[in-house]
Amino acid sequence: MFTFLNSIIFLLFTNVIIKMFTFVKQILLMDLEHLFDQNKEPLLQGRYITLESIESLLIKLSTDNELEIIGKSVLDKPIYKYQIGTGNTRILLWSQMHGNESTTTKALFDFLNLLKSDSDIARKLINSFTFCCIPMLNPDGAELYTRENANKVDLNRDAQNLSQPESRILRAAFGNFRPDFCYNLHDQRTIFGVGSTGKPATVSFLAPAYNESREINESRRKAINLIAGINDVLQQCIPGQIGRFDDSFNLNCVGDTFQFLGVPTVLFEAGHSPNDYLREETRKYIFISLISGFQLLYENDVVVNKFDKYLSIPQNKVVFYDFIYKNIKINYDGIEIITNFAAQYTEGLVKNQIVFKAFIVKIGELDDYFGHYEYDGNEAVYHDENGDFPQLNQEADFYLDTNLKFVNGLLI
Ligand SMILES: [Zn+2]
């Protein structure tokens, strides 16, 4: 009887502890979301973020000479460094080395607003860290909305050749600043899912390998532990929507090179969350990742081995299309077939705006794939301007039966 009572008390006690722990975690999350709302930079919105978008903001943020031009791009645009903080832990962050990957740039400005907010958390961060930020490494690519720089070189494959001025500028910043951690900030396409779970990879991480056999040394372990800790926090906001990138070794990639040079490096990939093609939601998750990561470093919580936790983050997999249409009746050369097809957005720069155009990219079996938008035609009959079957690379403008009209992928 006594043992039974003890067990009940123990269970009740455990339950209270678990509830308290969950409560504390929820508060932390609410704080982070509140911090984001307070510090979100309203002048940066959408996908097209250029040097012009950020230059005046940088000047405004530089009240204490934090801003410096550290070189010029191929087309002679300034590349800025914004350095702030007096703390011992040195963090080098660079964004938009791929010109059309702007989500992390937006989050970086939200973070800089926080650092300049004169709040307790800002003071704590500034006293503990020194942040060296290169918010736009590839201003030419940003203007053209291309991954590559103006010479059509992928800067993230130029870490050994250093053939481009932008690559040399980043390498010099790395050498001069001597960081304790590197944050390599990117966007990823909408095609990535978290394994085969059917959830999009809204944020992905990687602790790049430093050698061919992908061993784990002390510095890579720090990056792994940092990611595992950030993942713990982020899972509360977007459960199951966090992926881990493939860690094949390629010394031409900047992250692999910096890891090889002994500095723990974390790759951040901002990805898709439902109906968020402008990446304003994902921007928040990157902000939360940055703050929670610095919190972990502040608490020195990256020394405990979290390799298993890191490995438990499922790998990214190419399993998504923007649109999937299932059970569609097509008429091909007089033969009726029930099939499926998929469409994918292509992003283009038209008159200073990013335009999303949906094109048909796959016809046939799509069993292992998911659509961010899925439509079951229930054997409705396909037709478009050209005939009774979809063709690859045509725009996704079509009818199902006679009454359902799809324009640019969507039913209208
Ligand atoms: Zn990238």
Side-chain angles (χ1 to χ4, degrees):
M1 184 64 190
F2 183 71
T3 320
F4 177 71
L5 233 146
N6 267 354
S7 307
I8 295 278
I9 289 166
F10 176 75
L11 274 173
L12 282 174
F13 182 70
T14 317
N15 209 6
V16 167
I17 293 285
I18 288 171
K19 276 195 176 141
M20 273 174 61
F21 188 58
T22 316
F23 182 66
V24 168
K25 273 181 147 183
Q26 275 167 354
I27 292 220
L28 176 71
L29 197 60
M30 273 170 60
D31 283 351
L32 288 171
E33 293 194 345
H34 185 57
L35 266 187
F36 173 75
D37 292 336
Q38 279 180 324
N39 294 289
K40 184 178 175 180
E41 175 50 59
L43 294 176
L44 298 179
Q45 295 280 335
R47 295 290 283 271
Y48 191 46
I49 304 295
T50 63
L51 189 63
E52 207 187 327
S53 326
I54 64 164
E55 217 165 14
S56 57
L57 294 174
L58 282 171
I59 290 164
K60 201 172 76 188
L61 282 163
S62 182
T63 52
D64 204 12
N65 283 325
E66 293 96 339
L67 195 60
E68 190 188 326
I69 293 175
I70 51 171
K72 294 280 179 76
S73 68
V74 171
L75 298 179
D76 217 28
K77 285 194 165 66
I79 293 171
Y80 287 101
K81 177 190 90 169
Y82 183 93
Q83 190 167 319
I84 181 168
T86 52
N88 288 333
T89 309
R90 301 170 75 77
I91 315 277
L92 173 66
L93 311 92
W94 64 97
S95 186
Q96 254 173 305
M97 84 180 309
H98 292 144
N100 56 358
E101 299 179 2
S102 56
T103 308
T104 49
T105 307
K106 293 187 289 187
L108 195 51
F109 276 88
D110 304 334
F111 174 64
L112 293 183
N113 281 348
L114 167 67
L115 291 183
K116 295 296 273 185
S117 68
D118 205 25
S119 58
D120 284 348
I121 183 165
R123 271 188 291 276
K124 195 173 90 177
L125 286 165
I126 283 171
N127 291 333
S128 312
F129 296 95
T130 304
F131 300 103
C132 174
C133 311
I134 302 174
M136 188 175 283
L137 185 64
N138 178 7
D140 299 340
E143 175 98 34
L144 298 163
Y145 201 67
T146 57
R147 177 182 172 88
E148 297 82 10
N149 75 347
N151 288 333
K152 296 192 172 10
V153 172
D154 183 339
L155 301 177
N156 205 21
R157 299 293 179 271
D158 194 36
Q160 290 303 305
N161 292 339
L162 297 175
S163 68
Q164 301 303 303
E166 296 89 351
S167 311
R168 293 190 289 271
I169 288 164
L170 178 58
R171 187 56 180 271
F174 174 85
N176 293 333
F177 183 64
R178 289 175 285 107
D180 297 304
F181 285 87
C182 286
Y183 279 44
N184 187 7
L185 304 171
H186 290 254
D187 266 78
Q188 65 185 358
R189 296 176 58 199
T190 59
I191 56 176
F192 292 105
V194 176
S196 298
T197 61
K199 293 208 174 187
T202 300
V203 181
S204 297
F205 297 100
L206 172 70
Y210 71 93
N211 65 5
E212 204 69 57
S213 51
R214 297 181 266 183
E215 285 171 294
I216 295 167
N217 58 1
E218 201 194 325
S219 80
R220 191 176 181 211
R221 191 182 308 282
K222 280 186 187 170
I224 282 171
N225 292 346
L226 179 57
I227 292 170
I230 295 173
N231 177 60
D232 276 347
V233 177
L234 214 49
Q235 286 290 352
Q236 298 168 63
C237 317
I238 41 172
Q241 286 172 234
I242 298 142
R244 184 165 49 88
F245 237 84
D246 169 34
D247 67 349
S248 318
F249 178 62
N250 182 353
L251 209 48
N252 295 314
C253 298
V254 175
D256 302 41
T257 287
F258 288 176
Q259 195 91 271
F260 171 79
L261 294 170
V263 179
T265 299
V266 174
L267 171 74
F268 288 68
E269 294 275 359
H272 187 68
S273 64
N275 300 315
D276 183 36
Y277 282 93
L278 297 182
R279 303 247 161 125
E280 290 296 316
E281 272 295 302
T282 305
R283 162 189 195 164
K284 176 169 79 181
Y285 305 133
I286 296 296
F287 176 87
I288 289 174
S289 304
L290 292 175
I291 308 295
S292 50
F294 298 137
Q295 182 80 22
L296 291 165
L297 293 176
Y298 175 78
E299 290 163 359
N300 201 19
D301 197 13
V302 292
V303 284
V304 182
N305 187 359
K306 294 178 181 153
F307 185 53
D308 290 343
K309 278 193 163 185
Y310 175 73
L311 282 185
S312 75
I313 306 170
Q315 276 212 313
N316 268 9
K317 212 171 160 187
V318 178
V319 286
F320 267 97
Y321 289 104
D322 290 322
F323 305 91
I324 283 187
Y325 312 93
K326 290 180 174 166
N327 301 314
I328 311 296
K329 188 181 283 183
I330 65 169
N331 188 327
Y332 189 77
D333 264 358
I335 303 165
E336 285 190 337
I337 310 167
I338 308 294
T339 189
N340 317 292
F341 64 98
Q344 189 70 22
Y345 277 133
T346 297
E347 293 155 40
L349 181 61
V350 181
K351 289 185 188 150
N352 272 336
Q353 294 225 321
I354 305 305
V355 175
F356 289 81
K357 255 193 170 170
F359 290 89
I360 294 171
V361 290
K362 168 104 184 184
I363 302 156
E365 205 252 294
L366 285 167
D367 282 354
D368 297 329
Y369 288 89
F370 306 94
H372 294 300
Y373 172 94
E374 288 195 3
Y375 189 87
D376 188 339
N378 281 317
E379 306 193 2
V381 177
Y382 177 98
H383 67 106
D384 61 34
E385 270 184 0
N386 307 311
D388 297 331
F389 59 92
Q391 294 185 63
L392 290 181
N393 304 321
Q394 78 176 47
E395 287 181 31
D397 297 333
F398 58 90
Y399 286 89
L400 294 182
D401 291 337
T402 46
N403 54 339
L404 301 169
K405 188 179 182 187
F406 290 76
V407 175
N408 203 23
L410 290 167
L411 179 63
I412 58 164

